[in-house]
Amino acid sequence: MNRSKQPESTGSRIVALPGDGVGPEVMTAGLEVLAVVDEIFGLELSVESRPFGGAALDQWGSPLPQETLDACRAADAVMMGAIGGPRWDNVETELRPESGLLRLRSKLGLFCNLRPVATHPALARFSPLRESRLENVDMVLVRELTGGIYFGDKRRVGDEAVDVCSYTRAEIERITHKAAALARSRRGKLTLVDKANVLETSRLWREVVGAVVAADYPDLEYETLLVDAAAMHLLSRPADFDVMLTENLFGDILSDEASMLCGSMGLLPSASLADGTFGLYEPIHGSAPDIAGRNLANPCGMLLSIALMLRHSLGREDAAQAVEHAVSGCWQAGILTRELDPAGPGTNEFAMKVCELIETNADEHSLLSVAGG
Ligand code: IPM
Ligand code: MG
């Protein structure tokens, strides 16, 4: 794949895929914040939007037009809003917006999906869980994203339907290295979630992950949990987890469950990474067609995904932290979007508050460095 930069471009190339439902709104909010960050940190980004999902299907006959795929391949990073909706529920499988996303993940080799889940005291009251359980919750779910039952053979034979789940040693090894290295950079704990008492694929996961950890990461605290127990422990002792590694389908389910620890689906970001620095960044929420077009969507998942992009694909920890601090600064100040506070700002207004805070913090920072130096 050719992901090299064009000779004339000095900064990074970003492709934006707004998609469907609330996707375009959270994308607009995200691009406003990204423009401010670009300006302050001198990133010299070039951003181009491309059709994707149901919107692309309606206009171009495919949820993932070739031109969109080519643009993603030529970029340094991709931002996605959300895709899908009831409008496309009855189109054939291959043309569903979700198929476009799965194909995109697979074609771009985005095998490693990071879903960080950290609670914030200002949001604890919105979680269905008791506040005492939410203290110090700070984990990353590492979900394998291009294998397993999502990508195995699917068929119908008469009244029978079949979905095949398969994993290779190599697929498990490469994501284990990602998860273990991440655990080492955090609190040093790795939890493998599987169903090794029933599934052959899970028994391979247990064997391979155990061997990789023993050989290369003996310093980690390593444990395994069956997925049904993990679903329970995520609610009963969420603060005990640091990095949770799991296969595609279990990761899909557990990440929605984990989002409830934070108070709202709209808050959580994700990064889908390939080898190297390339990645696709999207909020974990869906297209929420019921609130689409009304400036009601929570842009935090998108904004925090941008922070992940700045960190992982663009190597700008400083800019990533500026976005994260501004988002949590808003929460701290009681500025919350409408699903949490009916009197709060809309999607766009929240993004504007984040922009203001990034600017204020940057000014203070430069004043401090003038005073200090
Ligand atoms: C997610 C979503 C997707 C998935 C859908 C939209 C195909 O639920 O990113 O978690 O199942 O992976
Ligand atoms: Mg999901």
Side-chain angles (χ1 to χ4, degrees), residues 83 97-99 101-102 105 113 115 143 145 150 248 251-253 255-256 270 282-285:
I83 48 135
E98 290 82 359
S99 298
L101 177 58
L102 296 186
R105 288 173 179 169
N113 183 220
R115 298 191 167 183
R143 169 187 177 195
L145 203 60
Y150 272 62
N248 206 341
D252 179 46
I253 298 167
S255 58
D256 274 29
S270 85
E282 55 168 317
I284 76 150
H285 64 71

Side-chain angles (χ1 to χ4, degrees), residues 12-13 65 68 71 81 84 100 107 127 147 165 195 207 230 275 308 360 364:
S12 301
R13 292 158 56 103
T68 296
K107 298 261 186 207
S127 170
C165 180
K195 188 71 183 172
E207 186 186 310
D275 266 329
L308 294 178
T360 317
E364 273 171 18

Side-chain angles (χ1 to χ4, degrees), residues 284-353:
I284 76 150
H285 64 71
S287 62
D290 51 323
I291 58 161
R294 294 163 56 199
N295 198 31
L296 291 176
N298 188 335
C300 292
M302 186 79 247
L303 303 184
L304 296 173
S305 298
I306 289 173
L308 294 178
M309 174 177 84
L310 292 164
R311 175 171 296 129
H312 292 283
S313 287
L314 308 187
R316 292 300 299 255
E317 182 61 32
D318 52 352
Q321 285 188 16
V323 174
E324 287 167 350
H325 287 160
V327 170
S328 61
C330 283
W331 297 340
Q332 197 65 51
I335 302 168
L336 301 168
T337 41
R338 301 256 172 86
E339 87 282 24
L340 300 174
D341 173 9
T347 312
N348 242 306
E349 293 69 37
F350 186 91
M352 290 298 118
K353 298 271 182 204

